[in-house]
Amino acid sequence: MVKHISKQESEIISTRREFLKQFGFGAAAAGMATPLLDNAYSAPEQKATGRRVKYRVLGKTGLRVSEIGIGGHSWAYKQVPDGQEGFRRPTVNEAVRMIAASMDMGVNFLDSCTALEESSVPGEALKRLKARDKVIVSIRVSHKMKGVKADKQEIYKWTEDRLKLWQTDYVDMCLLCNTENDTPQSGYWDMSYSIEALDKLKQQGKIRFTGFGCHFRPELFLEAFDKFGDYFDICSIPYNVRHRAAEKLLPAAKKKGLGVITIKPFVRGALLKDRDLKGTEAGLPRDLIAFVLENKLVDICTCGVHTIEQVRENLSASWTKLSEVRRQRLKKLAATFIGDREYAWLEQGWLYA
Ligand SMILES: NC(=O)c1ccc[n+]([C@@H]2O[C@H](COP(=O)([O-])OP(=O)(O)OC[C@H]3O[C@@H](n4cnc5c(N)ncnc54)[C@H](OP(=O)(O)O)[C@@H]3O)[C@@H](O)[C@H]2O)c1
C-alpha cells in the first residue's frame, strides 16, 4: 500500500536526511532502515476534529514548525488531581496520549526545559509512539554560560544526559538559558566557552541548531542579539497579553534572522488561576495563545499542558480569530497583578511594549 507523507513530514525527513548525510551516516541518510517513513504512531482517542495547527518558518533554521509547541515543565509538576484531594504528575501513558493527539493535530515541536524528570517523559512517549523522527526536539541547557572554561564540560554533560533521556542520538535544537542572577560576574552574556562547546556538539552531529533564551531583562536580549545574533539560530522570549515587552524586541531578533519561540502564554497558569474556565471564562487559554499568534514575528508559541483537554483547547488557538468581545476580555485579564515571587522578573521588566 502506498503511504502518503504530508508536506510537514517530508520536510522533517529531508532536513533529517541532509543532517545525516552531512555527518556521514550513509545508510540512514539514504533512507534505508530508518523509522522516518514508518507512520507508526496513532492516536485512537483523539476526537476527529479534522482541524490542524498552522505552520510558520523558524527563522534562519528554515524549518517549517507548528505555530504552537508543547512544552516541558508540566510533565514534572504535580498538577493532575489524584482523586484523593491531592495532585500527581501526568503518567507516561497520559503523555503518550497527549503527544499523539498533538501530533495528529499537526504539532511537530516539542520543548523541554531543565529538570531531568521532565525530560524523561517526552522521550519515553516518543519511543513508544516510534515517532522521534516525526518531531523537532528542543532541549534547554540552563545556567551554563558563565564565561568560564568549565562551561564547556557542563554543556557536554548536560546535553549527554538529555540525549539519554530523550532516547535519541541527536536533538534538533539546543538553547542556552540563564537567569539574571546567574552571571553578573561575566557581564551576563559571556557565551564564548559555551559557543565553543555548541560548535563541537554540532560537529559531532548531536545538535542541529542553537539558540538562547533567559529570564533576563529585555535590554539584555537586545544586547545579546547585537553580540551573538549572527551565531545563534533561535531565541526564546516570554510573551503574553500582560507581559508584552517582546513586541519591542522581536523586530531586532528578526533582523538577525532568528527564529522566535515564545514562552509563558499563561505565566505557567498564574494568569488563569481562580478563573472559572468551564463557565463564563471558558476559552480563555485558547484566546491567550491566539493573542500571541496574532504577532506574525512569533514563530512558535510554546505552552505547558497537563491534560488532553488542555491540549485540544490550546491547539484550537491556531484557528481562532479573536472577536472584539474576547479582545476586551483579554484586556481585563492583562490588568491582573501577578504577585508570585517566581514571576517578579516578568512583572519588573516585561510589562509593556
Ligand atoms: N528557562 C526557560 O527557558 C523556560 C522557562 C519557562 C518555560 N520554558 C518552556 O516553555 C514551556 C511553557 O511553560 P511556561 O512556564 O511558559 O508555562 P505556560 O505555558 O504559560 O503555562 C503552563 C500551565 O498552564 C496551565 N494550562 C495550560 N493549558 C491550560 C488550559 N487549557 N486550561 C487551563 N490551564 C492550562 C497548566 O497548568 P495547570 O494544569 O496547573 O493549570 C500548565 O502547566 C515550558 O514547558 C518550557 O518548555 C522555558
Side-chain angles (χ1 to χ4, degrees):
M1 199 172 73
V2 178
K3 245 175 220 160
H4 293 285
I5 302 167
S6 67
K7 191 165 178 226
Q8 164 213 354
E9 278 174 351
S10 72
E11 279 176 29
I12 293 179
I13 288 166
S14 74
T15 47
R16 165 77 168 144
R17 281 219 181 105
E18 277 156 26
F19 174 68
L20 291 167
K21 228 187 261 167
Q22 194 183 338
F23 295 103
F25 300 106
M32 286 161 55
T34 79
L36 294 172
L37 303 177
D38 174 9
N39 193 17
Y41 85 90
S42 64
E45 293 169 36
Q46 164 64 9
K47 247 192 242 160
T49 61
R51 308 296 299 255
R52 286 172 69 82
V53 296
K54 297 193 201 78
Y55 295 89
R56 302 187 184 194
V57 175
L58 186 63
K60 61 177 108 161
T61 70
L63 293 174
R64 190 166 165 270
V65 286
S66 52
E67 61 183 9
I68 304 174
I70 299 297
H73 273 357
S74 308
W75 307 123
Y77 290 145
K78 292 186 178 175
Q79 297 278 49
V80 182
D82 63 5
Q84 295 167 339
E85 294 184 15
F87 292 92
R88 61 167 176 79
R89 292 191 180 117
T91 64
V92 172
N93 279 341
E94 286 166 338
V96 168
R97 286 196 290 276
M98 284 189 256
I99 290 175
S102 307
M103 291 176 66
D104 266 6
M105 293 168 82
V107 169
N108 72 351
F109 179 82
L110 297 182
D111 195 14
S112 75
C113 204
T114 52
L116 287 175
E117 68 271 29
E118 164 215 308
S119 317
S120 69
V121 178
E124 181 59 28
L126 285 181
K127 183 182 140 201
R128 293 189 192 179
L129 292 164
K130 298 194 173 61
R132 165 64 191 94
D133 287 305
K134 291 181 177 7
V135 290
I136 292 161
V137 168
S138 173
I139 61 166
R140 294 173 189 248
V141 175
S142 280
H143 321 301
K144 306 290 181 264
M145 42 203 232
K146 296 182 171 63
V148 296
K149 219 171 175 179
D151 289 348
K152 291 202 291 184
Q153 292 313 322
E154 291 198 48
I155 288 177
Y156 298 143
K157 170 148 182 24
W158 190 281
T159 305
E160 289 300 335
D161 285 347
R162 270 129 195 100
L163 287 175
K164 276 191 207 124
L165 288 165
W166 278 90
Q167 307 192 39
T168 183
D169 54 359
Y170 78 102
V171 288
D172 300 278
M173 291 164 205
C174 180
L175 272 58
L176 297 179
C177 297
N178 269 5
T179 71
E180 197 159 325
N181 296 329
D182 288 325
T183 50
Q185 72 283 4
S186 63
Y188 299 117
W189 290 113
D190 187 342
M191 302 201 205
S192 43
Y193 288 108
S194 312
I195 284 175
E196 254 184 82
L198 293 179
D199 278 340
K200 188 159 175 202
L201 289 167
K202 272 196 201 167
Q203 280 161 17
Q204 293 171 339
K206 293 179 179 170
I207 58 177
R208 298 174 65 194
F209 300 104
T210 59
F212 63 94
C214 305
H215 295 186
F216 274 35
R217 277 169 287 148
E219 313 83 69
L220 289 172
F221 268 95
L222 287 175
E223 192 183 317
F225 296 153
D226 204 33
K227 284 193 194 161
F228 304 106
D230 292 329
Y231 175 79
F232 287 102
D233 308 297
I234 307 141
C235 64
S236 167
I237 300 183
Y239 183 33
N240 61 58
V241 74
R242 177 167 172 82
H243 304 105
R244 295 177 56 170
E247 289 167 17
K248 276 192 299 201
L249 306 180
L250 294 184
K254 286 290 161 185
K255 221 169 163 181
K256 291 285 184 182
L258 294 166
V260 172
I261 301 170
T262 66
I263 58 171
K264 302 259 175 275
F266 319 122
V267 193
R268 203 176 299 166
L271 271 180
L272 303 171
K273 227 193 307 189
D274 306 324
R275 295 183 200 273
D276 173 19
L277 295 177
K278 291 206 182 344
T280 52
E281 289 168 302
L284 211 45
R286 171 203 62 204
D287 293 350
L288 283 165
I289 294 179
F291 167 83
V292 172
L293 295 178
E294 279 187 341
N295 191 321
K296 295 302 171 207
L297 299 181
V298 170
D299 298 323
I300 307 174
C301 172
T302 296
C303 57
V305 283
H306 277 123
T307 64
I308 199 140
E309 290 75 25
Q310 291 180 348
V311 168
R312 291 195 185 111
E313 154 114 26
N314 297 359
L315 298 187
S316 71
S318 192
W319 51 88
T320 295
K321 201 166 162 13
L322 290 175
S323 65
E324 199 40 46
V325 173
R326 286 175 179 162
R327 218 174 276 287
Q328 287 308 322
R329 192 165 70 161
L330 291 185
K331 210 168 162 190
K332 254 168 86 186
L333 186 73
T336 311
F337 168 68
I338 302 202
D340 191 328
R341 270 187 58 206
E342 200 180 334
Y343 305 114
W345 62 279
L346 273 175
E347 288 287 298
Q348 278 156 19
W350 292 85
L351 276 185
Y352 306 108

